[in-house]
Amino acid sequence: MAIKTVLGETQQVKIATDLIEMGARLQVLQEETSLSRERLLKLYKEVKGESPSKGMLPYSTDWFISWQPNIHSSLFMGIYQFLVKNAGTDGVHALITAYRLYLDQVQGIEGGEVVLSITRAWFLVRFFKAGMMQLVPCRECTGQFVTHTNELHSHYVCGICHPPARAGKTNSKTKLLQPVG
Ligand SMILES: [Zn+2]
């Protein structure tokens, strides 16, 4: 990507540091900067005081469709696409800015819990760019929600308008954003 060659090392370290502070996994840092793996590992330890997790990355698109993650993913993706469209920002800068705004939104809600990690947000952007996922409007509230692209959505109703039974019958977003069970 062009952005890697254009950005100076100081900017790359800044991007990596921002992503590490947000909790990004090492693979995200490697993809979004041209800093060496050794450099990134050192930086990670400096920022977090520990080595990055070596567990499996969350590759599945299905997670974004499940009820509570879908509400959070849709909120993030709405912000991301707005930024790309209207603020002339793209790439990793759009990811970082959109994720900050997502955190602000969730933390501004009483009892709001951050459900979407920065690594999942990064994957979500990739899935959109690959044409695997899209935003479709809910026919009841007209909000835009994340769905798979290979499904029919002409009568789509979102998880806020029709929450699953276990989520209770309230339409309050405050309640919906609280942990379930
Ligand atoms: Zn709806």
Side-chain angles (χ1 to χ4, degrees):
M1 278 199 288
I3 199 160
K4 286 189 189 177
T5 52
V6 172
L7 292 178
E9 185 167 327
T10 314
Q11 283 170 294
Q12 301 227 17
V13 169
K14 171 84 172 73
I15 288 168
T17 305
D18 282 350
L19 289 170
I20 293 166
E21 282 172 349
M22 290 173 163
R25 299 284 292 271
L26 193 63
Q27 187 186 330
V28 177
L29 308 174
Q30 287 180 294
E31 292 277 343
E32 296 300 339
T33 71
S34 57
L35 300 173
S36 72
R37 186 183 158 84
E38 292 67 34
R39 184 79 200 274
L40 288 170
L41 281 168
K42 194 164 167 278
L43 195 62
Y44 197 101
K45 278 188 190 165
E46 281 171 19
V47 175
K48 285 275 183 186
E50 59 183 21
S51 296
S53 162
K54 286 181 181 135
M56 285 279 286
L57 284 169
Y59 279 111
S60 167
T61 55
D62 290 338
W63 184 86
F64 299 100
I65 302 303
S66 56
W67 179 69
Q68 196 183 37
N70 188 256
I71 295 170
H72 283 252
S73 305
S74 302
L75 172 65
F76 167 81
M77 212 55 210
I79 297 169
Y80 178 88
Q81 292 201 343
F82 180 86
L83 286 175
V84 170
K85 225 181 196 176
N86 300 291
T89 176
D90 201 359
V92 70
H93 295 288
L95 175 76
I96 290 171
T97 309
Y99 194 72
R100 281 215 179 99
L101 290 168
Y102 159 74
L103 291 180
D104 284 352
Q105 289 270 317
V106 173
Q107 285 159 0
I109 298 167
E110 202 187 327
E113 181 201 14
V114 176
V115 170
L116 181 73
S117 70
I118 180 75
T119 301
R120 292 235 195 233
W122 178 77
F123 268 109
L124 185 61
V125 170
R126 293 202 130 196
F127 291 145
F128 266 69
K129 286 190 172 156
M132 294 160 72
M133 307 199 88
Q134 64 181 355
L135 287 175
V136 298
C138 167
R139 67 170 179 168
E140 292 194 7
C141 68
T142 71
Q144 299 271 328
F145 292 85
V146 171
T147 61
H148 285 118
T149 47
N150 58 353
E151 290 162 12
L152 285 170
H153 300 294
S154 51
H155 298 293
Y156 180 79
V157 177
C158 79
I160 294 174
C161 294
H162 278 199
R166 70 192 173 113
K169 291 194 167 82
T170 175
N171 270 336
S172 155
K173 284 190 190 183
T174 308
K175 283 258 167 64
L176 293 180
L177 288 171
Q178 285 175 353
V180 178

